[in-house]
Amino acid sequence: MCSCNSNMAGLTRADMQKYGRSSCWISAVFLMLAAHVIAQTDDNNNVLTVADANWTLILQGEWMIKFYAPWCPACQHLQTDWESLGRQSESLGISVGRVDVTQQPGLSGRFLVTTLPTIFHAKDGNFRKYVSSRTIEDIQAYVEKKKWAMVEPVPGWKSPSSLLMSGMANLFRLSVWIRQIHTYLTNTLGIPSWGSYVIFAIITLFMGLMLGLMLVLIADCIWPSRPKYREDKTVVIVKEEVSEEEVEDIMMEDKRMSDLDNESERASGDESPEEEGQTSDGAASGSDQPPPEGAAESSVRKRKPQGSNTTEGT
């Protein structure tokens, strides 16, 4: 009985020693995790992570923003100095931010980031690209001595808040989305690369046709086509003015006619009174009949130049 109790006591002590060692390891792990979390919280308080959801915060106040990628060696070399700048942000009177381009492709397109790391200085919505040395001393001097005032800000059309850069941000997001779909098709579904390209080409053509159809419908709604009809064309006949040569010809004809009339009067003077009576009756009877239309028009045409000629003479 006593031996059994001693064995049980021995097992209990061994188990307690094992539990004590395991508890020490667990407590050490918890302490390391707590220190890591505290350090992360400290960094997050000093260096703000900028994303698509809160990027409008940098439009107010003075900021220094870093664009980086976790796989970039130059970005990793700058990380220590950037964290030191974040701890001095209160004394410098600025805010310090960072943007991970792998997680925020829209912001990299909005700021048109093409090299890593890229640093921007923001002052009340005016952005300037920092191109000096990336040491902590030079960055502090850039802020304290206001060297940013000697740098031209980004033009308005290229500003991150402009409509063009907003479209560029959407384009960068679309490119990342297409790359993710391509990876899913090739790696997960096992489709070859050329098959994925064919699928994207078909989708692009279909979307182009749909966009063209929508534009045509919108154009028809805004500017409807007019009905075609035949217009009645009226023909207007305009009489040309009589030229000088025609006026001279008409005058010559009038002169000839007057000469013929004079000759006929002379010949009629030699006739008998009876014939004169007969001729007078014939003339009277002839005067009762209306003259033909052609003769009236010719007389009017002949008299018009005479009147104009007489007025010119007077």
Side-chain angles (χ1 to χ4, degrees):
M1 192 72 181
C2 292
S3 62
C4 291
N5 290 331
S6 61
N7 289 332
M8 291 178 64
L11 289 172
T12 305
R13 292 193 189 110
D15 292 337
M16 289 178 65
Q17 287 178 358
K18 289 179 182 179
Y19 290 145
R21 290 175 184 174
S22 61
S23 63
C24 290
W25 281 107
I26 292 171
S27 61
V29 171
F30 274 122
L31 288 173
M32 290 175 65
L33 290 173
H36 182 66
V37 169
I38 291 170
Q40 248 186 354
T41 307
D42 220 6
D43 288 340
N44 289 334
N45 289 332
N46 294 323
V47 180
L48 179 65
T49 301
V50 181
D52 286 324
N54 63 347
W55 80 271
T56 54
L57 293 175
I58 63 179
L59 296 177
Q60 297 176 356
E62 188 173 359
W63 285 76
M64 291 295 292
I65 308 118
K66 177 188 71 170
F67 290 83
Y68 74 99
W71 48 262
C72 175
C75 300
Q76 295 172 3
H77 185 267
L78 180 62
Q79 183 177 357
T80 305
D81 290 339
W82 200 255
E83 292 174 357
S84 177
L85 180 66
R87 287 190 290 269
Q88 298 176 11
S89 59
E90 294 182 2
S91 60
L92 294 173
I94 64 172
S95 299
V96 180
R98 59 185 177 186
V99 179
D100 186 357
V101 295
T102 60
Q103 300 295 327
Q104 305 297 330
L107 281 180
S108 62
R110 189 179 292 275
F111 284 83
L112 204 62
V113 176
T114 55
T115 58
L116 295 174
T118 299
I119 300 174
F120 277 94
H121 173 270
K123 177 69 173 177
D124 296 331
N126 295 320
F127 294 87
R128 295 172 175 85
K129 192 173 182 180
Y130 179 80
V131 294
S132 301
S133 176
R134 297 192 186 102
T135 60
I136 186 64
E137 294 81 11
D138 291 333
I139 296 174
Q140 288 177 356
Y142 185 83
V143 175
E144 290 177 348
K145 297 180 181 180
K146 295 184 179 181
K147 293 183 179 180
W148 51 265
M150 296 182 293
V151 180
E152 287 292 331
V154 175
W157 64 271
K158 204 175 179 181
S159 177
S161 58
S162 65
L163 183 61
L164 179 62
M165 290 298 106
S166 298
M168 190 65 67
N170 294 326
L171 185 62
F172 270 59
R173 293 194 196 98
L174 179 62
S175 64
V176 173
W177 182 68
I178 291 173
R179 185 175 61 187
Q180 291 175 354
I181 293 176
H182 175 72
T183 304
Y184 175 77
L185 292 175
T186 54
N187 295 341
T188 306
L189 300 181
I191 298 174
S193 298
W194 62 268
S196 177
Y197 297 149
V198 170
I199 292 172
F200 280 113
I202 293 172
I203 293 173
T204 303
L205 290 174
F206 179 75
M207 292 180 65
L209 291 174
M210 293 299 295
L211 182 61
L213 180 61
M214 289 176 62
L215 291 175
V216 170
L217 293 175
I218 291 171
D220 288 339
C221 292
I222 296 175
W223 298 288
S225 58
R226 297 180 179 177
K228 295 181 179 180
Y229 60 92
R230 296 182 62 183
E231 295 180 355
D232 296 333
K233 295 182 179 180
T234 56
V235 180
V236 179
I237 300 174
V238 180
K239 293 183 179 180
E240 297 180 354
E241 295 181 356
V242 182
S243 61
E244 294 181 356
E245 295 179 356
E246 292 178 354
V247 171
E248 291 179 356
D249 294 339
I250 293 171
M251 291 177 65
M252 294 294 293
E253 289 179 1
D254 291 339
K255 187 175 181 181
R256 289 173 186 173
M257 291 296 293
S258 62
D259 293 338
L260 291 174
D261 292 337
N262 293 330
E263 289 179 359
S264 62
E265 288 178 357
R266 291 175 184 175
S268 63
D270 297 335
E271 293 177 356
S272 60
E274 294 178 357
E275 293 179 354
E276 289 179 358
Q278 293 177 358
T279 55
S280 62
D281 294 335
S285 62
S287 62
D288 294 336
Q289 296 178 357
E293 295 179 357
E297 291 180 358
S298 62
S299 62
V300 171
R301 186 178 178 185
K302 290 177 182 180
R303 289 175 182 176
K304 184 177 181 181
Q306 285 181 1
S308 61
N309 195 9
T310 53
T311 54
E312 289 177 0
T314 56

